[in-house]
Amino acid sequence: MTSVRSYGPSLVLLATALTVLLFGPSAVRQIAHAQVDADIQLARNELSTSPVLMELNEAFTQVSEVVEPSVVHIIIKRRQPTRTSSASPRSMPPNMPERFREFFEQMPGFDRPEPAPEPDDYRRFDPSRPAGNGSGWVYDTAGHIITNHHVVENADEIEVRFADGTERPATVVETDPATDIAVLKVDMDPATLHPAALAPSPVRQGEIVFAFGSPLRFDFSMSQGIVSATDRQLNIIDQGTGYERFIQTDAAINRGNSGGPLTNIRGEVVGMNTAIAAGGGGLGGAPGFIGLGFAIPTEMVQRVADQIIAQGRVSRGFLGVIIGELDPTLAETYGYNGRGVLIVTAQEGGPAADAGVRSRDIITHVNGQPVGTISELRYTVASIPPLTDVEVTVFRDGQSLDFTVTLGELPERMAQAGFTPPTNAPAAEPDAHGNAMDLMLKYGMNRLKSFTNADARQLQVEHFPGVLVRSVRQGSRASLAGVTDNSVITEVMGQPVTSVDDLAAAVAEHDPDDPIRFTIERYVPRFREFQTRVLALDLPDSE
């Protein structure tokens, strides 16, 4: 055996040399190519028969089959915001004689004083248009949908599309900006809904996860990765004042994934996709995923959603203390060398003060769990229902002391508690023209007046009879139909109108539930001319 091993390599080398001499380099290449082909085929056979790979591949596919029926695509629709004039025209001098007013209005830089913006009550008559999209997931058979607050914020209408193509309008039950969680409701047969399963325990670093949703409007997409980290605080929710314990993942998350579920290998929801650390170079030049995605843990989502569904709002525990970070240098001045949170002020009459906690105490534990940062303390306390007794451990004068504190309820933030939103200005009185002018406002045509010679001179056109529409509400039905500022209405349902009284009478004769046809002369400033348009306007049946 020893002699064979000794001469073996030499024989192989000799055979190779003889092959090269007899058949040339091409034969060597053919032999090498054949060997590569054989290696490829062997590897392919092993891959195709590997039970581990087949099981893993099948598991991934089954996760998709389990989760996708629970995922929804959310379409956000908005109406055009009410336009306010950016110009600041000089006001007409007081006590201007009536005979000079018409002349005065024609002077450059002057205009009639702008009326107060039309009340938003009229915006509900304007059609809404798609303005954004996001993702969500079915929470229960009652039709509750979970998504992010930032997805549905400022939406005028919300539409939900299921994986089978079914579309339903959705209403907002309530949102919680402090956690960026929102609960929607759709009216559907419970038997047709497929609620997602929730993970029974928190996800751990290193677990395989899958992100579902509609990234960049690619509906019902799925990506895979691992949990890179847990308990991340980014200070991005509610202007940095929210409650955060993000799951960090490298599963691809992009714009549009917000609100979609993040699941484990069993298809159970472990979190809700919420944020990304975006980089350049995404689709169409938009910021794209760079390997850092963040999701709200399921336990937080479930706690908030259950409260919203049960009581219509979220209540949180309240200690009644003003707190500050405790760095090592500051801790040293108190003779303390551990982690904790400094109580700057224990508010008089607050739950903590009533239990004996003092200002300048250092909170080290709540219910036996260490708290080392402000965010940890805030999250821990806020997660406990009001009126619950908790054990608070503090460091004071070299001693560790325990107090039983009955939590209060966290009050609304100062900005909300001390601010009363202004009510919309009341609608102008319909005066003698009654409901006819109200209908014109619903269509979006404001500041109607009889078209006069003075108006024609100001627009540098020949005068003709009609009713001048001084302004049109952006995003309204009239605006979308092509009516512009300074258009002139000349006919209603084929009936000529020469004054506001004529217009009101013609509109009043028509059933407001049916479309009304208008003939207008649309002013084109570039050419200082009018172009005739015929159009019909109507309102939704529900109005």
Side-chain angles (χ1 to χ4, degrees):
M1 293 296 293
T2 303
S3 60
V4 172
R5 290 196 186 98
S6 300
Y7 292 107
S10 300
L11 293 174
V12 171
L13 180 61
L14 179 61
T16 303
L18 290 173
T19 301
V20 170
L21 291 173
L22 294 174
F23 302 103
S26 62
V28 175
R29 287 196 295 270
Q30 290 176 6
I31 294 172
H33 183 269
Q35 183 61 50
V36 171
D37 269 350
D39 291 342
I40 291 174
Q41 188 60 47
L42 179 61
R44 181 175 292 138
N45 292 338
E46 290 180 351
L47 288 173
S48 64
T49 58
S50 170
V52 174
L53 290 178
M54 292 176 66
E55 289 176 8
L56 183 62
N57 186 69
E58 182 63 21
F60 283 14
T61 301
Q62 289 177 351
V63 170
S64 173
E65 293 173 352
V66 166
V67 177
E68 188 170 275
S70 305
V71 182
V72 299
H73 176 68
I74 297 176
I75 302 168
I76 301 304
K77 296 182 178 181
R78 296 192 183 99
R79 299 182 180 89
Q80 185 78 21
T82 301
R83 179 180 59 181
T84 56
S85 175
S86 60
S88 299
R90 289 174 285 172
S91 59
M92 189 177 295
N95 304 318
M96 171 66 66
E98 188 64 34
R99 63 181 180 276
F100 294 128
R101 284 181 175 270
E102 187 173 282
F103 171 79
F104 191 84
E105 289 176 350
Q106 300 174 47
M107 296 178 62
F110 284 88
D111 197 358
R112 295 189 174 195
E114 283 288 333
E118 60 269 23
D120 280 344
D121 283 349
Y122 284 107
R123 290 184 66 246
R124 62 192 175 94
F125 297 101
D126 301 345
S128 58
R129 291 173 286 176
N133 75 290
S135 307
W137 41 286
V138 179
Y139 189 66
D140 56 29
T141 55
H144 292 110
I145 305 291
I146 304 298
T147 188
N148 283 128
H149 162 78
H150 76 260
V151 169
V152 298
E153 186 180 16
N154 299 323
D156 289 318
E157 293 180 18
I158 302 171
E159 196 170 86
V160 170
R161 182 188 306 141
F162 293 82
D164 63 1
T166 302
E167 294 187 358
R168 290 289 187 274
T171 57
V172 177
V173 178
E174 185 56 86
T175 71
D176 182 40
T179 55
D180 199 19
I181 296 169
V183 179
L184 311 182
K185 183 75 161 55
V186 293
D187 185 13
M188 288 185 66
D189 181 353
T192 64
L193 294 171
H194 304 280
L198 306 184
S201 58
V203 72
R204 297 176 300 166
Q205 185 179 39
E207 285 194 41
I208 295 174
V209 288
F210 302 88
F212 290 82
S214 303
L216 304 174
R217 300 183 186 274
F218 292 104
D219 300 6
F220 306 104
S221 297
M222 173 186 180
S223 60
Q224 179 267 326
I226 65 167
V227 173
S228 308
T230 59
D231 292 332
R232 291 295 197 204
Q233 278 83 44
L234 307 178
N235 296 319
I236 60 172
I237 291 183
D238 208 17
Q239 299 180 343
T241 65
Y243 300 93
E244 301 178 352
R245 297 191 73 174
F246 286 119
I247 300 166
Q248 179 184 318
T249 179
D250 65 353
I253 297 174
N254 284 285
R255 299 185 186 279
N257 269 118
S258 290
L262 184 74
T263 77
N264 59 22
I265 195 68
R266 293 176 295 278
E268 299 165 335
V269 179
V270 298
M272 177 168 63
N273 307 323
T274 298
I276 60 173
L283 188 65
F289 177 69
I290 59 172
L292 292 172
F294 301 93
I296 300 171
T298 294
E299 58 267 27
M300 182 188 292
V301 174
Q302 187 173 17
R303 184 173 58 252
V304 170
D306 287 349
Q307 288 191 63
I308 288 176
I309 292 170
Q311 60 192 35
R313 66 186 186 91
V314 180
S315 58
R316 297 184 168 90
F318 176 63
L319 271 178
V321 295
I322 298 174
I323 54 180
E325 294 286 3
L326 185 72
D327 60 51
T329 302
L330 182 59
E332 185 179 353
T333 65
Y334 288 99
Y336 182 69
N337 61 1
R339 298 176 73 243
V341 178
L342 179 66
I343 299 178
V344 177
T345 304
Q347 298 173 340
E348 185 177 353
D354 286 348
V357 177
R358 300 178 188 171
S359 300
R360 311 301 189 270
D361 284 348
I362 297 172
I363 298 179
T364 61
H365 295 78
V366 175
N367 283 340
Q369 298 298 315
V371 289
T373 64
I374 287 178
S375 60
E376 287 179 356
L377 178 61
R378 290 181 65 246
Y379 180 84
T380 300
V381 173
S383 301
I384 303 173
L387 304 181
T388 301
D389 289 344
V390 298
E391 295 299 317
V392 177
T393 303
V394 304
F395 178 86
R396 179 195 299 170
D397 298 331
Q399 301 181 64
S400 181
L401 305 174
D402 293 324
F403 297 91
T404 300
V405 180
T406 302
L407 296 181
E409 182 172 356
L410 183 68
E412 294 292 331
R413 285 163 288 178
M414 295 299 293
Q416 294 178 340
F419 175 70
T420 302
T423 56
N424 290 323
E429 290 294 330
D431 58 56
H433 303 306
N435 293 333
M437 292 299 98
D438 188 64
L439 184 62
M440 299 300 287
L441 284 171
K442 292 176 181 177
Y443 288 149
M445 289 184 274
N446 311 317
R447 302 179 62 198
L448 304 176
K449 66 183 292 289
S450 299
F451 189 47
T452 65
N453 287 317
D455 297 324
R457 286 195 298 269
Q458 188 174 6
L459 296 174
Q460 301 182 29
V461 295
E462 293 292 329
H463 175 260
F464 54 90
V467 175
L468 180 67
V469 183
R470 291 293 296 273
S471 66
V472 178
R473 187 171 66 250
Q474 286 189 344
S476 66
R477 296 180 180 276
S479 174
L480 296 179
V483 183
T484 59
D485 292 355
N486 294 319
S487 292
V488 177
I489 301 171
T490 58
E491 294 180 353
V492 175
M493 297 298 292
Q495 176 182 337
V497 292
T498 62
S499 66
V500 173
D501 288 337
D502 288 345
L503 175 65
V507 171
E509 291 177 0
H510 198 75
D511 187 347
D513 292 334
D514 295 332
I516 302 180
R517 186 177 68 252
F518 296 89
T519 301
I520 67 166
E521 297 295 326
R522 178 178 174 179
Y523 183 64
V524 183
R526 179 181 178 184
F527 302 111
R528 292 192 177 90
E529 67 178 20
F530 285 92
Q531 295 177 350
T532 304
R533 298 283 297 273
V534 179
L535 51 93
L537 300 175
D538 64 349
L539 296 175
D541 293 338
S542 59
E543 306 297 344

Coordinates of all heavy atoms in Angstrom, one line a residue, residues 150-194:
H150 N -50.0 56.4 11.5 CA -49.5 57.3 10.5 C -50.0 56.9 9.1 O -50.0 57.7 8.1 CB -48.0 57.4 10.5 CG -47.3 56.2 9.9 ND1 -46.7 55.2 10.7 CD2 -47.0 55.9 8.6 CE1 -46.2 54.3 9.9 NE2 -46.3 54.7 8.6
V151 N -50.5 55.7 8.9 CA -51.1 55.3 7.6 C -52.4 56.0 7.4 O -52.7 56.4 6.2 CB -51.2 53.7 7.6 CG1 -52.0 53.3 6.3 CG2 -49.9 53.1 7.5
V152 N -53.3 56.0 8.4 CA -54.6 56.5 8.2 C -54.8 58.0 8.7 O -55.9 58.5 8.6 CB -55.6 55.6 8.9 CG1 -55.6 54.2 8.3 CG2 -55.4 55.6 10.4
E153 N -53.8 58.6 9.2 CA -53.9 59.9 9.7 C -54.3 60.9 8.6 O -53.8 60.8 7.5 CB -52.5 60.4 10.2 CG -52.5 61.7 10.9 CD -51.2 62.1 11.5 OE1 -50.2 61.5 11.1 OE2 -51.1 63.1 12.3
N154 N -55.3 61.7 8.8 CA -55.8 62.7 7.9 C -56.5 62.1 6.7 O -56.7 62.8 5.7 CB -54.7 63.7 7.4 CG -54.0 64.4 8.5 OD1 -54.7 64.8 9.5 ND2 -52.7 64.6 8.5
A155 N -56.9 60.9 6.7 CA -57.6 60.2 5.6 C -59.1 60.7 5.7 O -59.7 60.8 6.7 CB -57.5 58.7 5.7
D156 N -59.6 61.0 4.5 CA -61.0 61.4 4.4 C -61.8 60.1 4.2 O -63.0 60.0 4.6 CB -61.3 62.4 3.3 CG -60.7 63.8 3.6 OD1 -60.9 64.2 4.8 OD2 -60.1 64.4 2.7
E157 N -61.3 59.2 3.4 CA -61.9 57.9 3.2 C -60.8 56.8 3.2 O -59.7 57.0 2.9 CB -62.7 57.9 1.9 CG -63.9 58.8 1.8 CD -64.6 58.7 0.5 OE1 -64.3 57.7 -0.3 OE2 -65.3 59.6 0.1
I158 N -61.2 55.6 3.7 CA -60.3 54.5 3.7 C -60.9 53.3 3.0 O -62.1 53.0 3.3 CB -59.9 54.1 5.2 CG1 -59.3 55.3 5.9 CG2 -59.0 52.9 5.2 CD1 -59.1 55.1 7.4
E159 N -60.2 52.6 2.2 CA -60.7 51.4 1.5 C -59.7 50.3 1.8 O -58.5 50.5 1.7 CB -60.8 51.7 0.0 CG -61.6 50.7 -0.8 CD -61.8 51.1 -2.2 OE1 -61.0 50.8 -3.0 OE2 -62.9 51.7 -2.5
V160 N -60.3 49.1 2.1 CA -59.5 48.0 2.4 C -59.7 46.9 1.3 O -60.8 46.6 0.9 CB -59.9 47.4 3.8 CG1 -59.2 46.0 4.0 CG2 -59.5 48.4 4.9
R161 N -58.6 46.4 0.8 CA -58.6 45.3 -0.2 C -58.0 44.0 0.4 O -56.9 44.1 0.9 CB -57.9 45.7 -1.5 CG -57.9 44.6 -2.6 CD -57.0 45.0 -3.7 NE -57.3 46.3 -4.2 CZ -56.4 47.2 -4.6 NH1 -55.1 46.8 -4.6 NH2 -56.7 48.4 -5.1
F162 N -58.8 42.9 0.3 CA -58.3 41.7 0.8 C -57.6 40.9 -0.3 O -57.6 41.2 -1.5 CB -59.5 40.8 1.3 CG -60.1 41.5 2.5 CD1 -61.0 42.5 2.4 CD2 -59.8 41.0 3.8 CE1 -61.6 43.1 3.5 CE2 -60.3 41.6 4.9 CZ -61.3 42.6 4.8
A163 N -56.9 39.8 0.1 CA -56.1 39.1 -0.8 C -56.9 38.4 -2.0 O -56.4 38.2 -3.1 CB -55.3 38.0 -0.1
D164 N -58.2 38.2 -1.7 CA -59.0 37.6 -2.7 C -59.6 38.6 -3.7 O -60.5 38.3 -4.5 CB -60.1 36.7 -2.1 CG -61.1 37.6 -1.2 OD1 -60.9 38.8 -1.1 OD2 -62.0 37.0 -0.6
G165 N -59.2 39.9 -3.5 CA -59.7 41.0 -4.3 C -60.9 41.7 -3.8 O -61.3 42.7 -4.3
T166 N -61.5 41.2 -2.7 CA -62.7 41.9 -2.1 C -62.3 43.3 -1.6 O -61.2 43.4 -0.9 CB -63.2 41.1 -0.9 OG1 -63.6 39.8 -1.4 CG2 -64.4 41.8 -0.3
E167 N -63.1 44.3 -1.8 CA -62.8 45.6 -1.4 C -64.0 46.1 -0.5 O -65.1 45.9 -0.8 CB -62.6 46.6 -2.5 CG -61.3 46.3 -3.3 CD -61.0 47.4 -4.4 OE1 -61.8 48.3 -4.5 OE2 -60.0 47.2 -5.1
R168 N -63.6 46.8 0.6 CA -64.6 47.3 1.5 C -64.2 48.6 2.0 O -63.0 48.8 2.3 CB -64.9 46.3 2.7 CG -65.6 45.0 2.3 CD -67.0 45.2 2.0 NE -67.7 44.0 1.8 CZ -67.8 43.3 0.7 NH1 -67.1 43.7 -0.4 NH2 -68.4 42.1 0.7
P169 N -65.1 49.6 2.3 CA -64.8 50.8 3.0 C -64.5 50.5 4.4 O -65.1 49.6 5.0 CB -66.0 51.7 2.8 CG -67.1 50.7 2.6 CD -66.6 49.5 1.9
A170 N -63.6 51.2 5.0 CA -63.3 51.0 6.4 C -63.5 52.3 7.2 O -63.3 53.4 6.6 CB -61.9 50.5 6.6
T171 N -63.8 52.2 8.4 CA -63.9 53.4 9.3 C -62.9 53.3 10.4 O -62.5 52.2 10.8 CB -65.3 53.5 10.0 OG1 -65.6 52.3 10.7 CG2 -66.4 53.8 8.9
V172 N -62.5 54.4 11.0 CA -61.5 54.4 12.1 C -62.2 54.3 13.4 O -63.0 55.1 13.7 CB -60.6 55.7 12.0 CG1 -59.7 55.7 13.2 CG2 -59.9 55.8 10.7
V173 N -61.9 53.2 14.1 CA -62.5 53.1 15.5 C -61.8 54.1 16.4 O -62.5 54.8 17.1 CB -62.3 51.6 16.0 CG1 -62.9 51.5 17.4 CG2 -63.0 50.6 15.1
E174 N -60.5 54.0 16.4 CA -59.7 55.0 17.1 C -58.2 54.8 16.8 O -57.8 53.7 16.3 CB -59.9 54.8 18.6 CG -59.2 55.9 19.5 CD -59.6 57.3 19.2 OE1 -60.6 57.8 19.7 OE2 -58.9 57.9 18.3
T175 N -57.4 55.8 17.0 CA -56.0 55.6 16.8 C -55.3 56.1 18.1 O -55.8 56.8 18.8 CB -55.5 56.5 15.6 OG1 -55.5 57.9 15.9 CG2 -56.3 56.2 14.3
D176 N -54.1 55.6 18.2 CA -53.2 55.9 19.4 C -51.9 56.5 18.9 O -51.0 55.7 18.6 CB -53.0 54.7 20.3 CG -52.2 55.0 21.5 OD1 -52.5 56.1 22.1 OD2 -51.4 54.2 21.9
P177 N -51.8 57.8 18.7 CA -50.5 58.3 18.2 C -49.3 58.0 19.0 O -48.2 57.9 18.5 CB -50.8 59.8 18.2 CG -52.3 60.0 18.1 CD -52.8 58.8 18.9
A178 N -49.5 57.8 20.3 CA -48.4 57.5 21.2 C -47.7 56.2 21.0 O -46.6 56.0 21.4 CB -48.9 57.6 22.7
T179 N -48.4 55.3 20.3 CA -47.8 54.0 19.9 C -47.8 53.8 18.4 O -47.4 52.8 17.9 CB -48.5 52.8 20.6 OG1 -49.9 52.9 20.3 CG2 -48.3 52.9 22.1
D180 N -48.4 54.7 17.7 CA -48.6 54.6 16.2 C -49.4 53.4 15.8 O -49.2 52.7 14.8 CB -47.2 54.6 15.5 CG -47.3 54.9 14.0 OD1 -48.4 55.5 13.6 OD2 -46.4 54.6 13.3
I181 N -50.5 53.1 16.6 CA -51.4 52.0 16.3 C -52.8 52.5 16.0 O -53.2 53.5 16.7 CB -51.4 51.1 17.6 CG1 -50.0 50.4 17.8 CG2 -52.5 50.0 17.4 CD1 -49.9 49.7 19.1
A182 N -53.4 51.9 15.1 CA -54.8 52.3 14.7 C -55.6 51.1 14.5 O -55.1 50.0 14.1 CB -54.8 53.1 13.4
V183 N -56.9 51.2 14.9 CA -57.9 50.1 14.7 C -59.0 50.6 13.8 O -59.6 51.6 14.0 CB -58.5 49.7 16.1 CG1 -59.5 48.6 15.9 CG2 -57.4 49.2 17.0
L184 N -59.2 49.8 12.7 CA -60.2 50.1 11.7 C -61.3 49.1 11.8 O -61.2 48.1 12.5 CB -59.6 50.1 10.3 CG -58.3 50.9 10.0 CD1 -58.0 50.8 8.5 CD2 -58.5 52.3 10.4
K185 N -62.4 49.4 11.2 CA -63.5 48.4 11.2 C -64.1 48.3 9.8 O -64.3 49.3 9.1 CB -64.6 49.0 12.1 CG -65.8 48.0 12.3 CD -65.5 46.8 13.2 CE -66.7 46.2 13.8 NZ -67.7 45.8 12.8
V186 N -64.3 47.1 9.3 CA -65.0 46.8 8.1 C -66.3 46.0 8.4 O -66.3 45.2 9.3 CB -64.1 46.1 7.1 CG1 -63.0 46.9 6.6 CG2 -63.7 44.8 7.6
D187 N -67.3 46.3 7.6 CA -68.6 45.6 7.7 C -68.6 44.4 6.8 O -68.8 44.5 5.6 CB -69.7 46.5 7.4 CG -71.1 45.9 7.7 OD1 -71.1 44.8 8.3 OD2 -72.1 46.4 7.2
M188 N -68.3 43.2 7.4 CA -68.2 42.0 6.6 C -68.8 40.8 7.3 O -68.8 40.8 8.6 CB -66.8 41.7 6.1 CG -66.2 42.6 5.1 SD -64.6 42.1 4.5 CE -64.9 40.6 3.7
D189 N -69.2 39.8 6.6 CA -69.6 38.5 7.2 C -68.5 37.9 8.0 O -67.4 37.7 7.4 CB -70.2 37.6 6.2 CG -70.7 36.3 6.7 OD1 -70.5 36.0 7.9 OD2 -71.2 35.5 5.9
P190 N -68.6 37.6 9.3 CA -67.5 37.1 10.0 C -67.0 35.8 9.4 O -65.8 35.5 9.5 CB -68.1 36.8 11.4 CG -69.2 37.8 11.5 CD -69.8 37.9 10.1
A191 N -67.8 35.0 8.7 CA -67.4 33.8 8.2 C -66.4 34.0 7.0 O -65.7 33.0 6.6 CB -68.6 33.0 7.7
T192 N -66.3 35.2 6.5 CA -65.4 35.5 5.3 C -64.1 36.0 5.8 O -63.2 36.3 4.9 CB -66.1 36.4 4.3 OG1 -66.3 37.7 5.0 CG2 -67.5 35.9 3.9
L193 N -63.9 36.3 7.1 CA -62.7 36.9 7.6 C -61.8 35.8 8.1 O -62.2 34.8 8.7 CB -63.0 37.9 8.7 CG -63.8 39.1 8.2 CD1 -64.3 40.0 9.4 CD2 -63.0 40.0 7.2
H194 N -60.5 36.1 8.0 CA -59.4 35.2 8.5 C -58.5 35.9 9.4 O -57.5 36.4 9.0 CB -58.7 34.6 7.3 CG -59.5 33.9 6.3 ND1 -60.0 32.6 6.5 CD2 -60.0 34.3 5.1 CE1 -60.8 32.3 5.4 NE2 -60.8 33.3 4.6

